Amino acid sequence: MVLMFPCPTAAFAISRDQASGSSRPPDRVRMSDPVATPPPDERQQADARLVRRIAEGDKNALAELYDRFSRPLYATALRVVQDPAEAQDVVHDAFVTLWEKAASFEATRGSAFSWAVTLVRNRAIDRVRMRRRRAELLTASAPSDLGYDESNTGPGADDTASLGDEARAVRAAVAALPPDQKRALELAFFSGLTQQQIAEKLAEPLGTVKARIRRALLKLRDTVARRL
Amino acid sequence: MIDERTEDLAALYALDLLEGAELASFESALAGDPALAHLVGELRSSSTALAYTAPVVAPPADLRRRVLASIDAQLAAEPEDARILRPSFSVFRTLLPWAAAACFALTAAWFGQLYLSARSEAGLLRDTQALTELSLKSAQTQLEAERILARRQYADQEKIVVETRAQVTQRDTQLAALAERVTSLSAQLKSEGDLAQLKITALASMLKNSPQALAVAVWSPEKQEGILRAEKLPALASDQDYQLWVVDPQYKDPVDGGVFTVDPQTGEARLKFKGKQPIKEIAAYAITLERKGGVAKSAGPFLLLGK
């Protein structure tokens, strides 16, 4: 029986077989290195090995994983919380959690990168929602734009030259989505809004928004899932 | 085969957008459906790829030092034994039975969570029912308030109608008074018009023994009647009357205006007269002395004459 847990750390629980896996030294490849990007499977295996070393208490492995993941994780946190100081706190907390929970990572349930992104995104969204609740309490009503500025995508939006193959592939796949699906998916991932709030923001029926998110995510899966 | 609705839920679950009863229901379905669990895994992995679409921005160099410092602090705080016991793969082998027990415990906890979710859902439904009843009561209260308001408005309108009616009656009375006034003024105007039409003629004495005798005749052509007033006429014998004659050119003979006597003391007389025939134009008046009762055609001399 396969059990799924809402907690991101539980969702990536490590298996016993993998725990006893090889002790091959990890590949020292940065995700953002456009030249030396290894094939996805190889990169994922390298990430998983690093996580296993972290589970054994290897601080150097954590430093290496930080070097591989910190750019996209920080960019994600910044996109969600839209505040550099808060984004740094989110990434810091996520890596500390990763250090503490590395033993629960299970590579068969997803990549180490997906796990790390989930950790960062959940923390960032928690902060955004807490901030929004505080604002609601202060104003006694929800702010009309629900506090998410889509236009504020931060610096370096076109900095594709420094991206790896995976990042370029994902960006191309997302850019190829129909605009309404793209907007719904980005709001669902980055805004921290609920389904209902996304529907209100897009001024569309909830059913339409759900269908757009599903179609967009399925297309993204078909296009890039195997690369990640 | 996973239907579209379930795919919708799987996509939302992968993005952590399911909540409450929907989340509990989906997780229940997920637990018994490996295909659905596989789809969720794929979608979650795909959704995390969106991290690459965020604008590329390098974290500050200090963040790396901060993360590693936190790890150092944790390591320093851990006792040596605990560091040895930090999850390692060899330890996992020896702790297998404990891990199995933990899995069972987790499973039990998860089912417990499901039970609690179901209970929570039932609570939510009860709350929803209570809210619905509250809404119904609120609607009834609002309806009653609107009914009272409508009744008040109706009473106010009725009061306005009564007041309006009273005003209309008052206006009618005023209009009637005004009409009466108009009638009165019209009559007055008419009367004044009549006065303007009156023909007044003074008659002078032709008598040698009473040269101061005088008479005035006033004639209304519209009413075809007039008044004669005389003074200082000589007293009459008992078998005599003065007779008034109206000279109208349309007739060959003067028209009889009637007879009258005088007060023997003052010589005054007053006669309201009408012509025996319709009078169109009065050329002159004449008064003669006739036998008692008058005559149809005068043969005597004129005592007073006025033109």
Side-chain angles (χ1 to χ4, degrees):
Chain A
M1 186 174 75
V2 178
L3 296 177
M4 297 297 291
F5 298 88
C7 168
T9 55
F12 292 90
I14 195 165
S15 69
R16 185 172 299 280
D17 293 339
Q18 286 164 326
S20 59
S22 82
S23 57
R24 180 182 151 192
D27 296 334
R28 301 186 67 83
V29 179
R30 291 172 69 99
M31 288 188 78
S32 58
D33 186 344
V35 179
T37 305
D41 286 347
E42 192 181 332
R43 183 177 57 76
Q44 284 184 19
Q45 286 169 12
D47 292 341
R49 282 194 294 273
L50 282 176
V51 175
R52 280 197 293 272
R53 281 173 56 202
I54 293 168
E56 290 170 336
D58 185 345
K59 197 185 90 173
N60 291 332
L62 183 78
E64 200 168 332
L65 200 71
Y66 178 93
D67 293 338
R68 295 165 76 93
F69 288 177
S70 62
R71 277 182 172 235
L73 294 187
Y74 180 68
T76 301
L78 188 58
R79 175 85 186 266
V80 175
V81 299
Q82 315 228 342
D83 177 83
E86 272 200 281
Q88 288 169 41
D89 288 346
V90 166
V91 172
H92 170 271
D93 292 351
F95 272 102
V96 171
T97 303
L98 203 147
W99 167 260
E100 292 168 348
K101 308 285 183 187
S104 65
F105 171 70
E106 187 179 351
T108 54
R109 308 288 293 276
S111 69
F113 178 72
S114 289
W115 180 39
V117 169
T118 305
L119 284 174
V120 165
R121 177 174 172 261
N122 285 355
R123 275 160 182 71
I125 285 176
D126 284 347
R127 280 174 179 257
V128 168
R129 287 184 177 165
M130 193 183 299
R131 196 195 300 160
R132 211 170 276 151
R133 276 198 296 275
R134 276 202 299 266
E136 285 170 8
L137 285 173
L138 285 174
T139 60
S141 63
S144 59
D145 66 351
L146 298 164
Y148 179 70
D149 184 3
E150 287 174 272
S151 63
N152 184 15
T153 54
D158 295 326
D159 189 10
T160 52
S162 63
L163 296 175
D165 291 342
E166 295 77 22
R168 278 196 287 273
V170 171
R171 285 194 171 200
V174 171
L177 290 173
D180 52 354
Q181 291 181 18
K182 178 171 179 273
R183 188 154 183 243
L185 185 61
E186 285 181 339
L187 279 174
F189 188 76
F190 287 113
S191 71
L193 300 176
T194 63
Q195 319 166 31
Q196 190 62 46
Q197 288 170 333
I198 293 170
E200 284 169 15
K201 190 170 183 70
L202 296 176
E204 296 284 0
L206 183 57
T208 304
V209 170
K210 285 181 178 178
R212 284 180 186 173
I213 292 172
R214 167 177 51 83
R215 289 193 195 109
L217 208 49
L218 288 174
K219 278 182 195 168
L220 198 62
R221 177 198 63 174
D222 295 342
T223 313
V224 300
R226 287 179 186 82
R227 299 183 63 93
L228 300 174
Chain B
M1 180 72 182
I2 299 171
D3 59 47
E4 277 196 352
R5 188 182 169 278
T6 308
E7 278 187 348
D8 278 352
L9 294 172
L12 295 172
Y13 182 78
L15 288 159
D16 297 315
L17 287 175
L18 288 185
E19 294 174 309
E22 208 174 23
L23 174 64
S25 167
F26 183 78
E27 285 186 335
S28 175
L30 192 61
D33 189 342
L36 184 57
H38 181 70
L39 174 66
V40 166
E42 283 186 337
L43 294 180
R44 191 183 285 279
S45 176
S46 302
S47 73
T48 56
L50 286 166
Y52 286 123
T53 65
V56 176
V57 48
D62 183 53
L63 182 58
R64 188 177 192 274
R65 281 193 292 274
R66 198 176 137 202
V67 169
L68 296 178
S70 295
I71 303 307
D72 284 339
Q74 277 202 14
L75 287 173
E78 282 179 8
E80 193 65 28
D81 290 348
R83 230 174 282 173
I84 291 167
L85 289 175
R86 186 175 172 78
S88 69
F89 303 114
S90 55
V91 170
F92 271 123
R93 277 200 194 90
T94 58
L95 294 180
L96 180 59
W98 293 105
C103 279
F104 278 121
L106 279 174
T107 308
W110 184 70
F111 279 116
Q113 190 186 2
L114 274 186
Y115 168 71
L116 288 175
S117 297
R119 227 171 61 163
S120 164
E121 196 177 345
L124 279 173
L125 284 173
R126 275 197 300 275
D127 289 347
T128 307
Q129 187 186 3
L131 279 173
T132 308
E133 283 171 2
L134 199 62
S135 301
L136 182 65
K137 278 182 187 169
S138 169
Q140 282 172 338
T141 308
Q142 194 177 352
L143 198 63
E144 181 63 22
E146 283 175 2
R147 205 156 61 86
I148 291 169
L149 197 63
R151 211 181 289 161
R152 275 188 196 166
Q153 285 175 343
Y154 178 73
D156 289 347
Q157 294 293 333
E158 223 171 24
K159 195 176 167 188
I160 290 170
V161 167
V162 169
E163 284 174 0
T164 308
R165 275 189 191 148
Q167 285 174 353
V168 167
T169 307
Q170 195 180 355
R171 295 269 161 78
D172 283 347
T173 308
Q174 287 174 346
L175 276 175
L178 283 172
E180 197 177 336
R181 176 78 177 138
V182 167
T183 307
S184 165
L185 285 171
S186 300
Q188 194 178 340
L189 281 172
K190 190 168 180 290
S191 169
E192 285 173 359
D194 288 349
L195 281 173
Q197 288 178 345
L198 291 177
K199 185 173 176 60
I200 302 167
T201 308
L203 287 78
S205 174
M206 307 292 285
L207 294 168
K208 289 181 181 172
N209 58 345
S210 298
Q212 69 279 23
L214 177 68
V216 174
V218 179
W219 175 256
S220 168
E222 190 182 4
K223 293 180 180 175
Q224 287 288 299
E225 64 181 17
I227 292 173
L228 173 76
R229 191 174 176 89
E231 290 180 4
K232 296 176 182 172
L233 280 173
L236 291 171
S238 60
D239 58 344
Q240 290 181 315
D241 276 328
Y242 289 112
Q243 190 166 4
L244 174 68
W245 302 92
V246 180
V247 180
D248 186 341
Q250 69 174 319
Y251 302 114
K252 188 175 73 174
D253 297 317
V255 177
D256 181 7
V259 296
F260 61 94
T261 58
V262 297
D263 185 334
Q265 303 299 321
T266 61
E268 289 180 359
R270 189 174 186 280
L271 171 67
K272 189 174 182 181
F273 66 90
K274 286 186 174 181
K276 298 293 182 191
Q277 295 168 283
I279 293 169
K280 189 176 177 184
E281 183 186 347
I282 295 176
Y285 290 95
I287 294 174
T288 58
L289 183 65
E290 302 293 350
R291 68 172 185 269
K292 194 72 175 176
V295 296
K297 188 174 177 181
S298 177
F302 292 145
L303 304 179
L304 287 94
L305 181 65
K307 295 182 179 177

